[in-house]
């Protein structure tokens, strides 16, 4: 079963890396086109979108690398393997998005004060091409992004581009008929706000995982109640629940039981593992069985206090 699961993961990762590579090539080629069009048409919206597209190239490249390296097996130095690489990539992607958004706000402020003339036909034409390319690359990356923070950070990069290029086209049409050149930097501000919003969502999730917080969608009180209902369990203490990445969850806990045989204890342990896997999607649990009277009466272990004890 393990070999089959590993093979399935490897096939899926290979398919995903191919789609990422194709998306990267298309996006990189269009960045050069969009920069040239933005300079020639004097459009901040196009230059803004080109900058965002370039961060997409970086995001796609990092996501591709993270998927490749995650296939490497665990070893003595990396006992959990390389699954956290994807979280680090998501952190880098979201941080670059914040920096890009701040740069957009700065440049848009100056252009709102003194709006330059914009070549509306170029803005419209290039914007339509950008919309089609961004929509296509976003579609290529979407599969698997629901359960992978690394892929979702890249997908949100691309979705942000889809919406921003649509905004640039609308601005170009309005500028063409009204001559309201101030709409170009205004659209850039809206693009920057969208980028910042997406970045914050990913940044918040990556920080939670890196701080080894409990999964956001998990109710720890309900988890404890369910474990205590398992036949043979008297209490639970020294509980830890955390994630290696968005889909790989781990748990460790001390389980208080009566003074029972190893066979009976193993049965209790198996029932807890089955509960955790099916109800809470925790596939890796480390459970230490202890007889009644051995527990510390501390639900959550304070590691800092343990460090002081050993000093």
């Amino acid at each position: 079963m393990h070999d089959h699961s590993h093979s399935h993961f490897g096939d899926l990762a290979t398919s995903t890396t191919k789609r990422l590579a194709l998306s990267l090539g298309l996006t990189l080629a269009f960045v050069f086109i969009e920069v040239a069009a933005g300079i020639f048409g004097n459009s901040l919206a196009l230059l803004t979108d080109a900058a965002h597209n370039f961060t997409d190239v970086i995001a796609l490249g990092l996501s591709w690398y993270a998927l490749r390296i995650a296939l490497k097996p665990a070893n003595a130095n990396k006992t959990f393997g390389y699954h956290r690489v994807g979280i680090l990539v998501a952190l880098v992607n979201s941080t670059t998005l914040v920096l890009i958004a701040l740069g957009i706000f700065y440049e848009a402020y100056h252009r709102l004060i003194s709006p330059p003339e914009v070549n509306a036909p170029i803005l419209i034409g290039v914007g339509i091409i950008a919309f089609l390319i961004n929509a296509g690359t976003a579609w290529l990356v979407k599969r698997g992004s629901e359960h992978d923070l690394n892929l979702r950070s890249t997908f949100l990069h691309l979705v942000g581009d889809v919406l921003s290029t649509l905004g640039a086209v609308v601005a170009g049409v309005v500028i063409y008929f009204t001559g309201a050149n101030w709409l170009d930097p205004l659209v850039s501000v809206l693009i920057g706000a969208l980028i910042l919003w997406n970045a914050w969502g990913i940044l918040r999730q990556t920080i939670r995982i890196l701080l080894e917080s409990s999964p956001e969608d998990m109710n720890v009180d309900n988890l404890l109640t369910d474990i205590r209902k398992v036949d043979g369990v008297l209490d639970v203490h020294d509980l830890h629940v955390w994630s290696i990445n968005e889909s790989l969850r781990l748990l460790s806990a001390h389980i208080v039981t009566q003074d029972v045989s190893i066979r009976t204890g193993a049965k209790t342990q198996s029932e807890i593992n089955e509960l955790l896997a099916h109800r809470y999607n925790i596939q890796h649990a480390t459970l230490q069985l202890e007889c009644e009277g051995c527990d510390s009466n501390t639900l959550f272990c304070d590691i800092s206090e343990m460090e002081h004890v050993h000093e």
Side-chain angles (χ1 to χ4, degrees):
M1 180 67 71
H2 175 76
D3 291 340
H4 174 74
S5 299
H6 183 76
S7 174
H8 174 71
F9 174 75
D11 292 342
L12 183 60
T14 300
S15 171
T16 304
T17 53
K18 288 180 179 178
R19 287 185 283 111
L20 284 172
L22 177 59
S23 299
L24 191 154
L26 289 171
T27 306
L28 182 59
F30 188 70
V31 164
F32 292 105
I33 297 173
E34 202 164 26
V35 167
I39 294 173
F40 183 76
N42 199 24
S43 170
L44 178 60
L46 284 179
L47 292 174
T48 295
D49 197 54
H52 191 194
N53 274 327
F54 184 68
T55 66
D56 290 342
V57 172
I58 298 173
L60 287 163
L62 288 173
S63 293
W64 176 86
Y65 172 76
L67 282 171
R68 295 278 295 180
I69 200 170
L71 293 173
K72 296 176 64 175
N75 54 57
N77 291 323
K78 301 288 187 299
T79 56
F80 278 119
Y82 293 82
H83 298 286
R84 272 275 169 91
V85 174
I87 299 303
L88 293 176
V89 166
L91 179 64
V92 171
N93 284 345
S94 55
T95 302
T96 57
L97 280 173
V98 171
L99 296 176
I100 288 292
L102 294 178
I104 289 170
F105 293 150
Y106 177 78
E107 183 63 25
Y109 169 74
H110 290 287
R111 291 208 173 198
L112 279 170
I113 293 174
S114 179
E117 186 176 349
V118 176
N119 190 319
I122 290 180
L123 178 59
I124 296 169
V126 177
I128 291 173
I129 297 172
F131 174 80
L132 295 174
I133 291 178
N134 288 326
T137 54
W139 178 77
L140 286 171
V141 175
K142 184 179 185 299
R143 182 186 173 191
S145 64
E146 301 88 349
H147 309 292
D148 189 310
L149 197 57
N150 168 30
L151 283 178
R152 190 154 72 252
S153 68
T154 303
F155 177 65
L156 287 177
H157 264 271
L158 297 169
V159 168
D161 277 349
V162 171
L163 297 177
S164 64
T165 50
L166 183 60
V169 171
V170 172
V173 171
V174 176
I175 291 171
Y176 180 78
F177 287 105
T178 66
N181 291 300
W182 54 269
L183 280 174
D184 182 67
L186 179 61
V187 167
S188 294
V189 170
L190 296 177
I191 293 171
L194 177 66
I195 293 171
L196 200 59
W197 174 261
N198 288 334
W200 167 244
I202 297 295
L203 193 60
R204 179 173 169 272
Q205 288 177 280
T206 56
I207 290 173
R208 280 187 62 88
I209 291 176
L210 292 174
L211 288 177
E212 299 193 336
S213 303
S214 301
E216 198 168 10
D217 61 345
M218 181 178 295
N219 188 313
V220 176
D221 290 334
N222 290 344
L223 170 68
L224 282 166
T225 299
D226 288 340
I227 293 176
R228 285 169 176 154
K229 287 180 181 177
V230 173
D231 188 35
V233 175
L234 300 179
D235 204 359
V236 181
H237 64 90
D238 289 343
L239 174 71
H240 300 285
V241 187
W242 72 104
S243 302
I244 295 297
N245 57 32
E246 195 175 23
S247 58
L248 182 56
R249 300 174 172 183
L250 293 86
L251 175 145
S252 68
H254 292 200
I255 307 297
V256 182
T257 67
Q258 294 178 340
D259 190 1
V260 297
S261 67
I262 294 177
R263 183 185 297 275
T264 302
K267 182 175 181 295
T268 300
Q269 201 167 5
S270 177
E271 289 180 6
I272 295 173
N273 280 323
E274 187 174 351
L275 164 73
L276 295 174
H278 288 87
R279 189 167 298 180
Y280 294 96
N281 195 29
I282 299 174
Q283 303 294 336
H284 187 100
T286 302
L287 305 173
Q288 179 175 317
L289 300 187
E290 297 178 352
C291 62
E292 192 174 10
C294 298
D295 64 288
S296 65
N297 295 320
T298 302
L299 179 55
F300 304 111
C301 177
D302 192 336
I303 297 176
S304 62
E305 289 185 2
M306 295 175 64
E307 288 177 346
H308 291 312
V309 168
H310 293 289
E311 287 180 354

